[in-house]
């Protein structure tokens, strides 16, 4: 039998642990790795070499860093760690165009990423949180609630793993979309750090224009992006044309209404100068009529943008439906008739529940809401 002991702490427990535990390098920016290098008497440029090893080549041990002396590699391994996500499951859909990675984190929590192939593009859909607090009614991730934010290292490692797999078949990652589990703007400090690392030309080398951040409409986050960047491509999950309906399916709208959201989006668009994307999930009989398409056009016509129309992907326990092909087509044609670009996104990977909104992972002790 276990007996409970009372331990008296003279120093706060977390501080003691932090000072005793080795430092995690994955998630550090090159300038921070320069400090790490300096702390073991290496020249600062060695920090960038370490960055290249962990972000560019994706090595998982200090032994592999062959341009550092053995003594320095040993010193590093005594003081630091290189986080590496555990690939608990990797499933490819029958078409071979989508691969879902299920990662187990060091605390046993789980997140998913989806790698998609289309022509020459290799796009990774990356998660930014374990679960999500926003509770959009049509989305599986929302049913998990928020469990925790991912660290920059955990976000970047999804990219590192995908590049390692692609490298094995002579391919490379070309695009990243922050459209996996979570609301990236609610984890902006770690997300922007991860984006800076993805940009490194001796790392994953994915430029800002090839990274899309998708938000359910967190207005202060959009404003923060406008002010301080990173100026990546912005996608906004609009999904509705009236506040009454959006309030119902996306509780975040009760805080920031459609007009407030669109003002923030315009501000970002003006500052950055590139088009934005509006995502619009089609829910049969609820937001998918030609009148809805016209209302959508009226809302966004003065914003340089394109519309991604996503027919709803089924999730357990939700009574939404997917519209018929004719209805989808009529919706898209109405937008096109207004000289705006609309593309139907048939999610890849729905056979392996890797489509938009289908990412859901039970974690120990967490019940589905
Ligand atoms: N929280 C961010 C990032 C997630 S992106 C955001 O909301 O934008 C996930 C995208 O998938 C969003 O555009 C969302 O509207 C869409 N989506 C969610 N559930 C879906 C489902 N069941 N079928 C199709 N698309 C869905």
């Amino acid at each position: 039998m276990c007996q409970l002991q009372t331990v008296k702490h003279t120093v706060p427990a977390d501080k003691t642990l932090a000072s005793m535990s080795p430092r995690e390098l994955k998630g550090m920016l090159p300038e921070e790795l320069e400090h790490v290098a300096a702390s073991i008497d290496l020249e600062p440029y060695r920090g960038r070499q370490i960055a290249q090893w962990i972000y560019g080549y994706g090595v998982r041990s200090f032994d592999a860093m062959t341009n550092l002396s053995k003594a320095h590699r040993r010193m590093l391994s005594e003081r630091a760690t290189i986080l590496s996500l555990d690939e608990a499951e990797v499933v490819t859909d029958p078409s071979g165009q989508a691969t879902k990675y299920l990662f187990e984190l060091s605390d046993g929590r789980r997140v998913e990423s989806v790698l998609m192939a289309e022509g020459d593009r290799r796009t990774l859909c990356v998660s930014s949180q374990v679960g999500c607090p926003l509770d959009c009614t049509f989305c599986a991730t929302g049913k998990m609630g928020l469990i925790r934010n991912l660290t920059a290292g955990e976000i970047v490692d999804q990219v590192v793993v995908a590049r390692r797999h692609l490298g094995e078949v002579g391919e490379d990652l070309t695009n990243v979309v922050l459209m996996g589990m979570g609301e990236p703007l609610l984890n902006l400090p770690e997300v922007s750090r991860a984006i800076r690392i993805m940009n490194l030309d001796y790392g994953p080398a994915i430029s800002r224009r090839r990274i899309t951040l998708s938000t359910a409409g967190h207005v202060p986050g959009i404003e923060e992006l406008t002010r301080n960047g990173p100026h990546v491509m912005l996608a906004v999950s609009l999904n509705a044309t009236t506040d009454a309906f959006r309030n119902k399916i996306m509780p975040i709208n009760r805080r920031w209404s459609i007009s407030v959201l669109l003002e923030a989006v315009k501000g970002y668009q003006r500052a950055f100068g590139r088009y934005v994307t509006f995502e619009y999930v089609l829910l049969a009989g609820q937001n998918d009529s030609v009148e809805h398409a016209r209302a959508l056009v009226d809302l966004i016509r003065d914003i340089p943008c394109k519309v991604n129309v996503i027919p709803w992907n089924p999730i357990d326990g939700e009574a939404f439906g997917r519209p018929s092909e004719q209805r989808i087509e009529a919706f898209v044609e109405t937008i096109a008739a207004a000289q705006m670009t609309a593309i139907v996104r048939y999610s890849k990977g729905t056979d392996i529940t890797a489509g938009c909104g289908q990412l859901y992972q039970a974690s120990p002790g967490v019940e589905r809401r």
Side-chain angles (χ1 to χ4, degrees):
M1 274 281 275
C2 244
Q3 277 201 329
L4 284 179
Q5 280 188 331
T6 316
V7 182
K8 229 180 166 187
H9 291 290
T10 44
V11 187
D14 55 345
K15 287 226 166 110
T16 320
L17 276 181
S19 59
M20 276 162 47
S21 56
R23 298 187 66 188
E24 175 51 53
L25 301 192
K26 202 166 272 168
M28 284 193 188
L29 297 166
E31 54 269 32
E32 293 164 338
L33 289 167
E34 287 180 9
H35 286 295
V36 170
S39 73
I40 53 167
D41 288 332
L42 282 171
E43 303 92 317
Y45 79 92
R46 297 285 188 181
R48 291 193 300 280
Q49 286 183 337
I50 297 171
Q52 182 168 32
W53 282 117
I54 61 182
Y55 302 130
Y57 301 129
V59 305
R60 282 169 276 192
S61 83
F62 294 103
D63 275 347
M65 301 184 176
T66 47
N67 54 4
L68 300 181
S69 75
K70 278 202 172 140
H72 282 114
R73 284 184 247 165
R74 202 190 51 245
M75 280 198 260
L76 278 174
S77 65
E78 284 160 1
R79 293 175 169 84
T81 51
I82 307 170
L83 170 153
S84 182
L85 295 177
D86 179 12
E87 293 162 44
E89 211 177 293
V90 181
V91 196
T92 299
D93 81 336
S95 75
Q97 293 197 309
T99 299
K100 179 161 89 169
Y101 294 92
L102 167 63
F103 293 113
E104 185 155 319
L105 310 171
S106 56
D107 60 358
R109 303 300 191 186
R110 296 173 150 205
V111 289
E112 296 178 326
S113 317
V114 185
L115 180 61
M116 294 162 286
E118 192 169 1
D120 290 339
R121 274 191 188 207
R122 298 291 175 271
T123 303
L124 187 70
C125 179
V126 166
S127 292
S128 56
Q129 297 183 312
V130 186
C132 180
L134 295 183
D135 204 18
C136 301
T137 53
F138 48 84
C139 175
T141 308
K143 313 290 168 208
M144 295 172 67
L146 175 66
I147 296 166
R148 71 167 171 87
N149 281 334
L150 293 183
T151 64
E154 289 167 334
I155 299 169
V156 161
D157 207 39
Q158 298 171 55
V159 170
V160 170
V161 170
R163 290 190 74 230
R164 189 183 300 134
H165 281 242
L166 285 169
E168 286 162 9
V169 291
E171 296 180 351
D172 200 358
L173 193 65
T174 57
N175 295 71
V176 168
V177 292
L178 284 147
M179 296 185 185
M181 297 164 112
E183 167 54 46
L185 292 182
L186 289 175
N187 186 17
L188 192 50
E190 296 299 302
V191 165
S192 26
R193 182 177 266 274
I195 290 171
R196 283 182 64 188
I197 295 169
M198 290 177 207
N199 295 154
L200 293 174
D201 55 6
Y202 49 84
I206 317 263
S207 75
R208 280 169 200 211
R209 288 177 190 177
R210 289 180 176 273
I211 298 177
T212 303
L213 184 153
S214 181
T215 177
H218 189 266
V219 166
I222 298 172
E223 290 168 347
E224 166 72 17
L225 272 190
T226 306
R227 272 192 307 272
N228 298 323
H231 287 160
V232 289
M233 302 301 285
L234 181 67
V236 177
S237 303
L238 196 54
N239 301 339
T241 56
T242 62
D243 282 324
F245 184 60
R246 201 167 190 268
N247 286 345
K248 237 163 68 183
I249 60 167
M250 300 181 74
I252 192 172
N253 197 71
R254 297 175 203 155
R255 186 88 185 269
W256 296 289
S257 65
I258 293 178
S259 62
V260 171
L261 170 59
L262 293 180
E263 274 314 303
V265 173
K266 281 181 201 164
Y268 186 78
Q269 198 284 322
R270 277 194 299 264
F272 186 34
R274 305 224 116 215
Y275 68 88
V276 294
T277 301
F278 288 102
E279 291 147 299
Y280 193 96
V281 179
L282 281 185
L283 306 165
Q286 307 220 24
N287 68 353
D288 63 337
S289 69
V290 164
E291 290 70 40
H292 287 116
R294 289 202 190 105
L296 176 62
V297 165
D298 286 343
L299 279 176
I300 61 176
R301 76 158 82 243
D302 59 340
I303 305 177
C305 67
K306 61 177 193 163
V307 182
N308 279 352
V309 174
I310 317 171
W312 183 69
N313 296 315
I315 59 168
D316 280 355
E318 280 303 331
F320 290 107
R322 199 182 168 110
S324 66
E325 292 300 315
Q326 288 104 308
R327 246 174 125 82
I328 299 172
E329 220 164 275
F331 191 92
V332 169
E333 274 168 15
T334 307
I335 302 174
Q339 315 301 321
M340 295 178 68
T341 309
I343 302 161
V344 186
R345 295 278 176 207
Y346 288 100
S347 294
K348 294 185 188 304
T350 46
D351 291 340
I352 53 170
T353 63
C356 296
Q358 292 184 315
L359 303 186
Y360 172 86
Q361 273 305 318
S363 283
V366 180
E367 277 180 21
R368 196 169 178 141
R369 278 198 273 177

